[in-house]
Amino acid sequence: MKSEFRRFFLNLRREMDQSLIKEKSGKIIENLLTSDFYKNSQNIFVYVSKNMEVETHDFIKKAMADGKKIYVPKIIDHKMIAAKLDDISDLEAGAFDIPTSNSLEFIKDPDLTICPGLTFDDEKNRLGYGGGFYDKFLVENETTKIGLMISDFRSIKIPADPWDIKMDFIITEYKIF
């Protein structure tokens, strides 16, 4: 069931115009930047966007300019950790070709964790890419969990397993819920 969902949303995303993704991402990031949970956080763990995900590069630059400490996903021994990113130009290809930091400085319990997802539903369930990396990370870390979603990709109901971790908030180009 989940694999069918993944295929559907990957195809949907592939068909969306790149400029539309950029435009909607800008509004989503604006909503994130004006939120209290952003303003009150110091350490932020955020995915580095690729393959038509909600764009996070501008967010990373802005958060660094605001004096926030930024951490990005790094896979070591089949486990995802939050690695410090000192400058966006330090990004390099990591496991699964995911942009990551070359830093060996890690953090546990970041104030904010910004998760990628193919889709989210109204109950704040997340459908990821199927590796389980974020669910495992979220179980082991005390953090506010945020999903970024272009509203076109909203699901009515995602089939959730007991080990799936719900988000605390979902941010779209229109609202935070």
Side-chain angles (χ1 to χ4, degrees):
M1 180 71 140
K2 279 187 179 180
S3 58
E4 291 167 33
F5 264 59
R6 279 190 190 95
R7 228 182 347 270
F8 175 80
F9 283 100
L10 280 167
N11 286 334
L12 195 63
R13 194 161 73 184
R14 264 193 291 273
E15 290 168 15
M16 186 172 268
D17 187 69
Q18 187 78 47
S19 62
L20 197 57
I21 288 179
K22 192 153 189 61
E23 178 192 321
K24 291 182 181 224
S25 292
K27 292 176 180 165
I28 292 166
I29 296 306
E30 199 176 298
N31 288 338
L32 172 58
L33 290 170
T34 56
S35 70
D36 283 341
F37 41 78
Y38 171 76
K39 291 175 185 165
N40 297 328
S41 64
Q42 205 43 56
N43 301 302
I44 301 172
F45 178 43
V46 59
Y47 71 94
V48 181
S49 58
K50 62 177 240 171
N51 298 340
M52 312 220 357
E53 292 175 316
V54 171
E55 291 270 336
T56 58
H57 292 82
D58 289 344
F59 169 76
I60 291 169
K61 290 176 198 163
K62 173 73 172 111
M64 286 177 163
D66 286 346
K68 309 283 187 185
K69 290 188 177 123
I70 297 296
Y71 296 83
V72 296
K74 187 176 188 101
I75 310 290
I76 296 177
D77 297 329
H78 307 291
K79 185 176 177 161
M80 184 174 76
I81 55 173
K84 180 95 164 48
L85 183 66
D86 293 314
D87 192 275
I88 200 146
S89 64
D90 293 342
L91 288 170
E92 60 186 30
F96 307 107
D97 208 28
I98 295 168
T100 189
S101 169
N102 55 15
S103 172
L104 294 175
E105 186 182 329
F106 309 116
I107 191 174
K108 187 151 172 49
D109 304 327
D111 301 324
L112 209 52
T113 296
I114 299 170
C115 304
L118 292 170
T119 181
F120 298 88
D121 66 17
D122 291 345
E123 293 175 22
K124 301 183 180 83
N125 290 303
R126 170 186 164 271
L127 183 69
Y129 297 93
F133 290 104
Y134 276 87
D135 291 318
K136 288 174 193 141
F137 179 86
L138 295 170
V139 163
E140 295 172 3
N141 287 269
E142 192 66 38
T143 183
T144 300
K145 304 171 285 300
I146 311 286
L148 303 182
M149 175 182 69
I150 293 172
S151 56
D152 302 62
F153 300 135
R154 180 180 152 260
S155 284
I156 302 300
K157 180 92 178 97
I158 295 172
D161 291 308
W163 56 84
D164 290 334
I165 305 293
K166 289 180 188 263
M167 300 292 98
D168 295 313
F169 300 96
I170 309 294
I171 302 178
T172 72
E173 65 273 35
Y174 302 115
K175 65 180 182 177
I176 297 176
F177 67 93

